[in-house]
Amino acid sequence: MAATGVLPFVRGIDFSGNDFQDFFPKAVEDMTALRWLRLKDTTLEEMPAEIAKLIKLEHLTLARNKLPGLEARAALFKKLPSLRTLNARHNNIQTNHVPKDLFELEELSILDLSYNELTRVPEDLDNVKTLIVLNLGHNKIETIPTQVFLNLTGLMHLDLSDNKLESLPPQLRRLINLQTLNLSNNPLLHFQFRQLPSLVNLQTLSLRRTHRNQSNLPASLEMLPSLAEIDLAENDLTRVPDCAYNVVELRRINLSKNLLTDFDIPDGWQMLLTLNVSGNKLKALPQSISKCTALKRLYVNDNQLDFSGIPPSIGRLDSLEVFMAADNQIEMVPEGLLRCGKLKKLVLRNNLLVTLPDAVHLLHDLEELDLAGNADLIIPPKPADLQKGAGLAFYNIDFSLGHQMRMAGTMTHQDSPSPVPAPRDPVARKIRLRRMKDAGDEESAGQVVKGMKDLAKARRASPDELEPAPLKSKKAAEVVQKVQLDYSEFFDEDTGQKEGLSCWEIENFVPNQIDNALIGKFYEADCYIILRTYTESGSDALNWQIFFWIGAKATLDKRACAAIHAVNLRNFLGAECRTSRQEQNEEEEEFTSLFPHGLVYIEGGRTASGFYTVEDTNLATRLYRLHGTKSLHLETVAVSPHSLDPRFVFFLDAGKKLYVWIGKKSKNITRSKARLLAEKVNKIERKGSSEIVVFNQRTETQEFWRALNAPKSPWMAEEPKMHVPEDFTPIVPRLYAIHLGKGYLELPQVEVKNGILRPEMLQSRMVYILDCWADVFVWFGKKSARLVRAAALKLSQELCDMLPRPDFALVTRVLEGTESQVFKSKFEGWDDVMAVDFTRTAESVIRRGVDLKQILEKDQIKTDLTALFMPRQSPMPADEAKAVIEEFNEDLERMEAFVLEGKKFVRLPEREQGHFYAGECYVFLCTYWVAAQEGSEEEEENEKEPEETQVHTVYFWQGRDAGNMGWLTFTFSLQKKFEQAFKNTLEVVRMHQQQENLKFLSHFKSKFIIHRGKRREPVDRTRLAPPRLYQLRVNDSLICARCIEVSLWKSCIASYPTPSPSIQMERSSCL
């Protein structure tokens, strides 16, 4: 058990969905402050004894278990004096196994024993005087004792449905506070319900299937002024009872599955919201249906209605939202029904419809239209004038002048027939326009002259009055339009609305508000934003002061974000004040006066920096069983060869290598999705640094078996067995939400519809625990508080340890935005869409990058076709090749060799000179003597011999199987040292395997051997070294002679004669 010390602070926990048939967590005893406990659907067969230690427990849920009774080994309920709610529905509880100490609880107010095996009311139930809710429905109770209702006068909800009651005790009238009474499905044939008028506060009455008729119902219900819902379904009513007409506050009435042939609507049903008359023998709805002006839902399914049976007055129901008339004989939808503009659901299934009116397209709020089962129905097309783009009529707006003037209240003259216009003369029109233009020019010129004369007279009359006013320059803030930004991501809506101090700390570039108790206690490595809200005397307007405090050891990102978010806070409040910068030990007096107890500096930092720090994480080896076609499910199993099953695909995450094992009986779509999963893990989580290995069953490598912890004997000799049951169902994950209060913690489960998790359930301000049995994930929202995160980590460890789990169970932290693919697979619809080229390997991704567009641009081949038609160059003779080698080595002073080991370059031993490995990187520093540049004639006369200088060339050799990390390590380490030592005399040449230049090859004098793998691979001393095959390649010149290790295949052994006898070497393979 994890000793985190957090269990005594847990106030509530939800264990629903766990299997506690053989085991109950012992750690529940340590939750001494527990207030509520939910054990729903946990397969309990007896009351856990650990509950007796929870003396503060108030609410206990034991629903959907296998409990035969509520008895425990000790008097359990006597030790729970604070218990208020007990929910034990859907069990196998019998009357004799309900302990009497349960009814001695002084605080018990809710008792639910429905869906059990009770044959009578438990004894001493009348002693619970504080009971408010009593549910004994769905049992086998035959009688109610007389004394039961004597003391239960505070009862507000009573459910006795689905029993075998034939009568009720007269003491029922004592329940004057009762609001809900459910007596459905009881044989109350001869019971007259004379006690009902005494229940003056009754709001809901359910008498479904109780053999009601006109004779055994009360004559009136006027004495029940609060009655709002009546359920009389599945009875023998031939008409609406008279008592229902007198209920003034009626909101819902259910008369379905009776024998009604017609009915009328009284004047008192004006507030009725729901009317259900389905399953009767109605041939027509009453004309008075329009009296129900507030009606929203009308159900008339399974009747004998036709077109004439739906009155036109139904169109007056302006609030109608649901109309269901399935299984009738309606031939056509009345136009009146389509005048209900708020209609959202229209169900006309299984009728005789032939067509629909065009007005159905005018129901803009319609969400569901069910017309199934109408064989001859033809849906009319949408009218052209209602289609988008059909002109101005689509907007239903009349833009004519007369209509607009009438809307403005102006009287318009009667339209008279306008005469037919005479044909126009285009020549006369041009002449008329020219005259108008000339006259306009003369007139405008005269107006200008006149205006200038008037202006001169006015200046002579009063020269001082016409002096132009000096122009006032506008500030930049007044000219530039401010962009409206949304700061709700950083600050709450009530920020700055109450007087006092508020404080935020900077963490990961974002401000997080801290508790008032921590204000004034600042860490030296953090930055804070302080807001003072105050009102001046004589005014109710709020004013603000904003400060941002900089710690002496704060990082650069915290300093910058404190200043930025201080301005964001000012903009969010709309304040006119300035933001004031306060540095540690240099605070102004105005700032320090805000803290009566003074400032307290705490060494260190409380929040994390926003900059990423690269750390080598040790990834645990995990094995997942993949199944599912529509969506891929990952089931964590033990890392063992025994976990393999040929019907599934398995994904082995070994850190640097990702293995995909494909069973021979697995589905093809699962195979493709498994490969895609490996690509996502490599590119998104490992940044392309892992190697993906995919193989079918029976083609595994020894490295894979070692990663699976296989025994030393060859595991390949054994065939994986089909051990997973055929009826296997994946474990349903449970999502817990962490609630943190003042001194307590709560762990409720998030309600999941149909057991399907969706990403929308995760809120950024919350912290969640996802329990998947073998994997426990702790998800941190970006805006979650630090204290909640710390509590969640401790709770997750306790939750992982208190429940039975396999040895390979693991707790994993997940931050919002960086979720792993395994975590995302637990949610439906949470998938990363990305392009994957299955033809590429992990090595090519590391060597050439991920961007396919850049790769295609680099791979554009510029073909020189002239080379195809030129004669082949003749091979270099051996004597000439030796002369070239001597010439290149003549100027070589010395050559120093280095090789990459780990993260640094070390000197290569002299015995390994000329031996290269395809998985390694080498650096060769060559020093050459070259002649100095020619000087002036005077200098040449004074100097007797020309001087020589040294130049340095660095050759970087990269093997075919080596990654780019060697080149990066060289550029940031060894190259820097060479540049400082040799200044301008240094040249760097980068080469890849089998792309070396002749000068570099000549330094090895035809001794150039390339091995496969790496220099220091582990060697099994217990076995003989495997044979190696090398191929000798010359490439038409002794300078290019190389000896390269190749695969050990029979087809690789061949002999090719050289094209020229001048080369004294043959291209061959040697073993």
Side-chain angles (χ1 to χ4, degrees), residues 840-858:
R840 302 184 62 198
T841 61
E843 295 86 351
S844 64
V845 172
I846 297 174
R847 185 171 63 252
R848 309 187 64 187
V850 181
D851 194 345
L852 294 177
K853 185 177 180 181
Q854 294 182 0
I855 294 174
L856 293 176
E857 292 178 354
K858 294 179 180 178

Side-chain angles (χ1 to χ4, degrees), residues 904-951:
K904 62 180 180 179
F905 283 90
V906 298
R907 290 188 178 273
L908 184 68
E910 188 175 354
R911 65 178 181 275
E912 296 186 25
Q913 293 282 350
H915 290 268
F916 297 82
Y917 287 85
E920 299 289 355
C921 296
Y922 296 83
V923 173
F924 296 88
L925 175 61
C926 298
T927 304
Y928 300 97
W929 286 102
V930 297
Q933 296 181 356
E934 296 181 358
S936 60
E937 296 180 357
E938 296 180 356
E939 292 177 355
E940 291 180 357
E941 293 177 357
N942 297 330
E943 294 179 0
K944 296 181 181 180
E945 296 180 357
E947 294 183 357
E948 292 184 349
T949 59
Q950 288 184 345
V951 295

